[in-house]
Amino acid sequence: MPSYSTTAAIDASPEAVWAVLSDVEHMPDWTSSMTSVEIIDGPNPPDVGTQVRIEQPKLPLAIWLMDEWDPPRHFAWISEAPGLTTQAEHLVEPLPDGRSRVTLAITQTGGLAWLLGNLVRRRTRRYVDTELAGLEARVTQQG
């Protein structure tokens, strides 16, 4: 099963990180890995069951379903296509010094996961890394 995760310590409180990260419709404001994020069914802020339309450069439009929502620490959403399920996780953990550890992870499963995952592996890693760098820049800019 193809997967990738990245982690960074961010010089901001978990609450400050969560405020930016959980405002999903504004993700394109701070990461170039997303061109459009729109809640299409469900509350804002999102909750389990909320559907979100995400456009990303060089990837097909995807509908993501929020399948885990645990403020202010964690959310995960999944997107399904024939033969492929992709789950993206977002975890914020407090550090003893008041900073935050943020982990972003993506996992692909299904009959086509190995084939499709390998075809877009570099792009996936670049997008996850770009998202984390953009989040860190936005949060530290605001703080």
Side-chain angles (χ1 to χ4, degrees), residues 65-114:
L65 177 68
M66 191 72 65
D67 69 335
E68 297 177 34
W69 184 258
D70 184 22
R73 306 261 332 236
H74 175 257
F75 78 86
W77 45 25
I78 59 171
S79 180
E80 295 184 349
L84 180 68
T85 298
T86 303
Q87 181 182 46
E89 295 191 71
H90 308 74
L91 177 65
V92 180
E93 300 171 287
L95 293 173
D97 60 3
R99 296 180 309 145
S100 304
R101 178 181 16 252
V102 176
T103 302
L104 303 179
I106 194 157
T107 304
Q108 296 173 313
T109 58
L112 296 177
W114 282 107

Side-chain angles (χ1 to χ4, degrees), residues 113-134:
W114 282 107
L115 175 64
L116 295 176
N118 284 327
L119 286 175
V120 296
R121 177 181 31 208
R122 284 179 140 162
R123 183 173 301 131
T124 299
R125 289 177 179 209
R126 186 172 60 248
Y127 284 3
V128 173
D129 291 344
T130 298
E131 184 178 333
L132 185 56

